[in-house]
Amino acid sequence: MPLTETRLRALKPKDKPYKVADDRGLYIEVSPSGGKLWRFRYRIGTVEKKLSIGSYPEINIKDARQAAYEARVKVAAGGDPAMEKRKQKIRSEFLSAQTFEAVAREYIDEMMVQNGRADATIIKANFFLDQLTDAIGSRPIDEIEPFEVLAPLKRLEAKGKHETAKKTRSFASRVFRYGVATTRCKGDPTAMLRGALITPKAKHYAAILEPKDLGGLLRAIQDYTGNFITRYALLIAPHVFVRPGELRHADWKEIDLEEGVWRIPEGKMKARRPHAVPLSKQVVGYLKELAEMVGTEGYVFPSARASVRPMSENTLNAAFCVTTVMLAA
């Protein structure tokens, strides 16, 4: 006898799963936990197969019968509904792994992290991805149109973040090119956006260009009265021409005072190549003085709070600001 809504609601769980037939291969299976799953039984040749339709009450009896009818039509035409459903699931899972966000995260991991790019570079890449995720993150990468990428970039521009918009477009372009190389998409839609964004105006940082002014800065550094380790960092900085982060992370084992060379390993360099910094006689003298006071283990410029950490970026920047004020005075 065909099922009714009343009978369906009255079905109670038992110690083992059991089935209750509806009509023409459609039945409902009741699990020990109380779940009720619609299934359709059919044959392909001599082989009996089953198609899962969905759970009750999410799928009501009318919709279950309609699904069973459509499955019977497919079987009559020589199809296999269960196999088609399995293929569709595999296809959906495949497509979900081909979204812009999935390919972008793979690009960051495979082409940036695994290639040893700097932590700061990885952080920036994830930041650029965050700017795009809401708009195109869940879209299949091969279906994305230029206007879809342009929309989040224009929102950045509306906030005055022209440089961020430009760099985000550049990051998206690298992801699409990676997608092309790995056969996930056929082209880079951002290539058409180069003329659609505002060109950021170059901002030049203040710089000392006159020898007289440089002399004044060096005298201001000599007169610095803050922490002695910070003072030595300030004294050495103008001689070595490295980034503040590289200076702060200098380690005694990298420095050869006899040869007068500081060998920075590739892991600390932005370009990920080892770098040799020649040390002037003045710098060697400063380092020898510092070594007598703090020893030659660990960081050359350790944090005042914990010697196992380098001096903070804020400490060095604040010290440079103090010397600049002294120079202006």
Side-chain angles (χ1 to χ4, degrees), residues 206-262:
I208 293 177
L209 303 177
E210 298 297 328
K212 180 180 178 181
D213 294 333
L214 177 60
L217 175 63
L218 296 178
R219 286 191 295 273
I221 291 174
Q222 288 284 354
D223 294 336
Y224 179 77
T225 58
N227 179 276
F228 75 96
I229 294 178
T230 306
R231 179 173 179 272
Y232 275 102
L234 292 174
L235 289 169
I236 291 171
H239 293 266
V240 292
F241 296 100
V242 296
R243 294 180 177 85
E246 293 158 359
L247 181 65
R248 294 188 300 107
H249 286 86
D251 195 296
W252 282 110
K253 66 177 179 288
E254 301 164 358
I255 294 174
D256 187 333
L257 292 176
E258 294 299 321
E259 191 177 345
V261 177
W262 172 19

Side-chain angles (χ1 to χ4, degrees), residues 91-92 94-103 135-145 148 176 184-186 189:
R91 182 175 183 276
S92 297
F94 174 78
L95 290 177
S96 69
Q98 315 308 312
T99 63
F100 179 84
E101 182 177 6
V103 175
I136 61 173
S138 60
R139 294 273 289 125
I141 192 169
D142 195 34
E143 298 179 7
I144 296 174
E145 300 286 343
E148 295 180 83
F176 281 113
R184 259 78 70 82
C185 61
K186 298 176 182 177

Side-chain angles (χ1 to χ4, degrees), residues 42-60:
Y42 63 99
R43 286 184 177 275
I44 300 292
T46 60
V47 179
E48 182 178 288
K49 294 197 170 188
K50 298 174 184 177
L51 172 67
S52 294
I53 295 175
S55 60
Y56 176 85
E58 286 78 10
I59 304 295
N60 61 36

Side-chain angles (χ1 to χ4, degrees), residues 2-17:
L3 289 166
T4 63
E5 288 290 341
T6 301
R7 284 188 65 197
L8 282 169
R9 288 193 294 270
L11 294 175
K12 302 299 182 184
K14 298 180 180 180
D15 292 339
K16 294 182 179 180

Side-chain angles (χ1 to χ4, degrees), residues 104-167:
R105 294 201 182 284
E106 181 183 314
Y107 167 77
I108 292 171
D109 184 59
E110 296 291 333
M111 304 305 295
M112 301 182 76
V113 176
Q114 299 300 324
N115 283 333
R117 301 294 294 274
D119 290 344
T121 302
I122 304 299
I123 291 171
K124 288 179 182 177
N126 280 291
F127 169 77
F128 297 140
L129 175 56
D130 288 342
Q131 310 311 304
L132 298 164
T133 298
D134 287 346
I136 61 173
S138 60
R139 294 273 289 125
I141 192 169
D142 195 34
E143 298 179 7
I144 296 174
E145 300 286 343
F147 73 89
E148 295 180 83
V149 187
L150 182 61
L153 300 181
K154 283 298 184 182
R155 284 195 289 271
L156 288 170
E157 283 190 342
K159 297 176 182 178
K161 299 179 179 180
H162 300 154
E163 187 67 27
T164 299
K166 175 186 174 183
K167 291 182 177 179

